[in-house]
């Protein structure tokens, strides 16, 4: 996969691609990855030596490509911190397990995950359904079964079968990742990346649908945002209306650090920033076309305002680039 990255993107900066591979979580690297559609590779080789990477980038031999693997791998949510994406996936697996056992009215079983955060997400999700039509796990299980069946029918058959082997349910034991790798042409690390990518595709697909799983994934996302704790604290201050300078003073961090936090939030949810942009410029963002966008931040400030934060220039660049959002969805959807 490392060699494939270089082969598919020969004109991109080797140093920037290296930062992607080792998973450097700066705003610059995150936006570079998303805008150049290499975010699936973010953090796949955290211990990669730079000299080895530069040597590999000079290879002319074409890597052997498994099209099915590559097709799923590109859905991997590399921008989401690994432990948070793992929580999302564990919560999903636990939801399926609890529905399977609940349908059979079995209450004594070993949870598929020991993650406290994943268990709390599922527990609070069920609590949120108490005053809705969803109060029967048997009915919920059938709905989820039908939703997943429709989704799986459109995916590569072989990889789907492997993913299903990892699911735990009533009288349905699951393979471990090592056992699964032994049944496939892939190493454990490669299989782990593939399974994470397959789940990422499930997550993003249902996130934007009017479905039971869509409701579940939106609940999960709302209760655990796709960034680390430090960014979350900045987000809470930002929600209260504090400026970058005020947040910087409150947190005793550099304004540049706070600005980086805001840009990471903007990567996933640009629309609140668009509203702030429109309030400041008193103009519709959709109607603003910067065909001659200044190349430097200094030039941007000189043209549009000396006190403008850097995220405003980054927002425009983001919109004028590929425009795709890591978690899917559309710009200006709210």
């Amino acid at each position: 996969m490392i060699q494939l990255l270089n082969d598919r993107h020969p004109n991109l900066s080797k140093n920037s691609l290296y930062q992607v591979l080792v998973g450097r979580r700066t705003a610059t690297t995150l936006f570079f990855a998303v805008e150049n559609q290499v975010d699936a590779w973010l953090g796949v080789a955290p211990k990669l030596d730079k000299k080895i990477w530069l040597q590999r980038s000079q290879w002319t031999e074409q890597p052997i490509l498994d099209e099915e693997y590559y097709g799923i791998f590109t859905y991997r949510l590399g921008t989401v911190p690994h432990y948070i994406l793992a929580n999302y996936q564990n919560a999903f697996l636990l939801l399926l397990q609890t529905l399977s056992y609940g349908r059979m009215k079995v209450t004594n079983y070993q949870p598929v995950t020991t993650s406290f955060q994943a268990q709390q997400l599922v527990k609070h999700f069920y609590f949120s359904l108490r005053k809705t039509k969803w109060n029967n796990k048997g009915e919920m299980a059938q709905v989820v079964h039908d939703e997943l069946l429709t989704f799986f029918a459109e995916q590569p058959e072989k990889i789907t079968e492997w993913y299903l082997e990892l699911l735990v349910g009533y009288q349905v034991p699951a393979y471990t990742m090592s056992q699964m790798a032994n049944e496939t042409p892939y190493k454990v690390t490669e299989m782990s990346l593939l399974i994470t990518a397959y789940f990422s595709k499930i997550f993003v697909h249902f996130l934007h649908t009017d479905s039971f799983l869509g409701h579940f994934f939106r609940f999960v996302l709302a209760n655990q945002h796709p960034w680390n704790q430090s960014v979350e604290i900045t987000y809470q201050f930002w929600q209260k209306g504090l400026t970058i300078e005020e947040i910087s003073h409150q947190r005793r961090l550099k304004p540049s650090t706070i600005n980086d936090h805001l840009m990471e939030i903007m990567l996933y949810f640009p629309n609140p920033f668009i509203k702030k942009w429109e309030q400041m410029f008193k103009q519709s963002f959709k109607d603003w076309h910067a065909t001659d966008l200044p190349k430097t931040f200094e030039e941007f400030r000189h043209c549009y305002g000396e006190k403008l934060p850097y995220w405003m220039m980054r927002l425009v660049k983001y919109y004028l680039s590929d425009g795709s959002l890591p978690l899917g969805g559309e710009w200006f959807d709210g």
Side-chain angles (χ1 to χ4, degrees), residues 256-272:
S256 60
T257 300
I258 302 303
N259 194 73
D260 273 4
H261 289 175
L262 294 180
M263 286 195 291
E264 183 169 349
I265 297 165
M266 185 175 72
L267 184 73
Y268 301 101
F269 307 118
N271 294 320

Side-chain angles (χ1 to χ4, degrees), residues 280-281 288 294 296-310 312-313:
M280 186 169 293
F281 280 96
W288 191 84
T296 68
F297 183 43
E298 289 72 21
E299 292 175 353
F300 182 81
R301 277 187 158 182
H302 179 74
C303 291
Y304 301 107
E306 294 297 328
K307 294 185 178 181
L308 295 181
Y310 181 69
M312 300 197 81
M313 179 177 175

Side-chain angles (χ1 to χ4, degrees), residues 6 26 40 64 90 92 97 99 111 122 147 175 185 191 215 244 251 253 256 261 269 274 282 289-290 302 318:
N6 179 69
T26 65
I64 299 174
N90 284 331
F92 173 62
Q97 183 189 29
L99 288 177
V122 174
E147 290 176 357
Y175 274 43
M191 177 55 66
H215 180 58
I244 290 177
R251 301 203 58 197
L253 295 173
S256 60
H261 289 175
F269 307 118
I274 289 175
K282 302 197 182 307
H289 301 286
H302 179 74
Y318 188 23

